[in-house]
Amino acid sequence: MSPKILPFLGCLLLLLPTLVFAKAVPKSHQPLAAASAMLVDLKSGEVLYQDHADESRPIASVSKLLTVMVVLEAKQPLNERIEVNVNGIPGMDNVVSRLRFGSTLRRKEAIALALMSSENRAAATLAHHYPGGFAAFIKAMNHKAKALGMTHSHFVEPTGLSSQNVSSASDLIKLLKATRDYPLMGQLSSAKNRSVTFQKPRYSLAFYNTNPLVNKKGWKIHLTKTGYTDDAGHCLVMLTEMAGRQVAFVVLDAFGKYTHIADAGRLKHWLSTGKISKVPADALAYKADKRQLQQQTAKNLEQGDSISATAQP
C-alpha cells in the first residue's frame, strides 16, 4: 500500500463513526407540539419518525399542493392570462385578498401565489378556470388523491379554508413524494419572494413565502407548503434535508404561530445529534386538550351509532 494513502485512510476511519451516526435513527423519542407528524427518508423509504400519522384531520392550505397538481395535470397553458374569479367556489365570500376581482394574471403566477404565499383567491381562480369548472375540479382532486393511495383524505374545495378538507400525515407523505414528478411545484413553492404584474387594471404586488425556513441559513428546502385555520392549527410539509438525508416532512395541528417551524427544527436537531429538545408547556397542553376532545367526540359518535342500531326494529 502506498504511504501516501495511509493518511487519507486514517482520516476516513476517524470520520466513519460520525458518518454512521448521521445515518442512524436516534433511539430516543423527540416530542413535538404537532398533533400528528411523519418524517420519511426519500431514498430508502425508512420511516424516521411518526406520531398519530394515520389520523385524518383538517389540513388547511396544505390542500393547495393537490390543487396545483391537478391544475398541472390538466396541461392548460401556463402563460395564459386568467381572470381573478371565485364565482361558484364555496367559502370565498369574505376572504381577504390583495388580488382584485376581474384583473388578470398568468396561470403560472396564480400557481406560484397559491403555493408560495398561500393566496386563496389564486387557488380558487385556478379551480374556476379548470375544464368543466368547480365540480369537475373537486372530482379530479379526489380522484388524484385516490390514485396516490391517500386513503385517509377527502377534499371539498381548492383552498383548504374548509375543515372538510382532511388528510393524514402518512397520506401527505405520499403526496409529497408525488410532487417530485412536478419540478415546477418545488421551484415555485420554495422561492423566497415574487413580484407579480396584473392587468385590467395594471398593478404590481410583491408576495413572500409563508415558510420562514426558506430564508434561514442551514436549511435546503426543495418544496414546501404551510397551512393554518382554527380547526387545522398550524401545519407544515416539506421536501428538505436533515442529517445528510433527503426527507419528506409533515407536521399537522401545532399550537402557536411558529410552533410548526420549531417542530421542524426539533426533528432536524434530533436526527442530527440524537438530542431531545424541549417543547413549550402551552403547546403540549393544547395538544393534550385537543386529543381529549377528539377522543370524547369519537366516543359520543360511537355511542350514538350504538343507540341508533338498538332503536332499529
Side-chain angles (χ1 to χ4, degrees):
M1 182 179 293
S2 172
K4 295 182 180 179
I5 299 178
L6 291 174
F8 171 77
L9 289 176
C11 292
L12 185 61
L13 288 171
L14 287 173
L15 287 173
L16 189 58
T18 303
L19 294 172
V20 171
F21 181 76
K23 294 294 184 181
V25 179
K27 294 180 180 180
S28 58
H29 183 76
Q30 169 64 56
L32 297 179
S36 62
M38 196 166 189
L39 182 69
V40 173
D41 186 310
L42 289 169
K43 185 176 181 180
S44 68
E46 181 183 5
V47 176
L48 306 174
Y49 185 97
Q50 62 178 328
D51 183 20
H52 294 89
D54 291 330
E55 287 185 355
S56 292
R57 59 181 65 250
I59 60 169
S61 286
V62 176
S63 304
K64 293 183 176 77
L65 284 180
L66 187 60
T67 293
V68 169
M69 190 177 289
V70 167
V71 171
L72 292 177
E73 288 204 338
K75 300 188 183 303
Q76 296 172 280
L78 294 179
N79 287 324
E80 179 185 3
R81 300 197 73 88
I82 57 177
E83 178 187 354
V84 178
N85 192 325
V86 301
N87 290 340
I89 313 294
M92 293 299 298
D93 293 341
N94 299 312
V95 172
V96 176
S97 172
R98 294 189 295 156
L99 276 60
R100 304 181 194 178
F101 288 128
S103 62
T104 67
L105 74 168
R106 299 188 190 281
R107 181 174 280 106
K108 182 179 178 180
E109 303 291 3
I111 290 172
L113 299 188
L115 291 175
M116 182 194 73
S117 58
S118 213
E119 233 299 335
N120 290 311
R121 278 188 191 170
T125 292
L126 289 168
H128 176 83
H129 290 281
Y130 185 79
F134 173 74
F137 188 83
I138 301 307
K139 183 177 180 180
M141 285 185 77
N142 285 295
H143 178 77
K144 184 60 179 179
K146 184 178 180 180
L148 292 175
M150 299 172 66
T151 56
H152 306 104
S153 304
H154 182 70
F155 301 88
V156 300
E157 50 84 32
T159 69
L161 289 171
S162 172
S163 60
Q164 294 181 61
N165 274 21
V166 297
S167 189
S168 66
S170 59
D171 275 6
L172 291 175
I173 291 291
K174 296 173 183 177
L175 180 59
L176 284 171
K177 288 180 177 179
T179 64
R180 294 179 296 174
D181 293 331
Y182 308 82
L184 186 64
M185 293 181 68
Q187 174 192 332
L188 297 179
S189 71
S190 60
K192 295 179 180 180
N193 54 67
R194 193 178 192 91
S195 180
V196 177
T197 299
F198 299 79
Q199 302 288 352
K200 299 180 182 180
R202 182 181 176 85
Y203 62 101
S204 296
L205 295 173
F207 297 85
Y208 299 90
N209 204 304
T210 56
N211 182 358
L213 292 179
V214 301
N215 299 301
K216 193 168 182 179
K217 187 177 180 180
W219 281 93
K220 294 181 180 180
I221 312 298
H222 304 298
L223 180 139
T224 180
K225 188 71 200 77
T226 62
Y228 172 77
T229 63
D230 288 344
D231 290 329
H234 289 275
C235 306
L236 175 63
V237 303
M238 295 189 293
L239 294 180
T240 185
E241 298 178 23
M242 294 184 182
R245 300 173 184 258
Q246 299 284 333
V247 298
F249 164 90
V250 176
V251 289
L252 302 175
D253 195 6
F255 170 78
K257 189 174 182 179
Y258 297 109
T259 311
H260 54 315
I261 305 298
D263 271 351
R266 290 182 187 102
L267 278 189
K268 185 179 182 182
H269 179 71
W270 170 77
L271 195 61
S272 300
T273 68
K275 297 179 180 178
I276 295 175
S277 304
K278 290 184 178 180
V279 179
D282 56 348
L284 291 176
Y286 166 87
K287 181 176 178 177
D289 290 344
K290 201 80 175 282
R291 177 72 55 194
Q292 186 176 11
L293 178 62
Q294 288 172 337
Q295 291 172 346
Q296 186 60 50
T297 300
K299 184 177 180 181
N300 292 342
L301 289 173
E302 185 178 340
Q303 290 176 343
D305 291 341
S306 177
I307 294 171
S308 299
T310 303
Q312 289 180 2

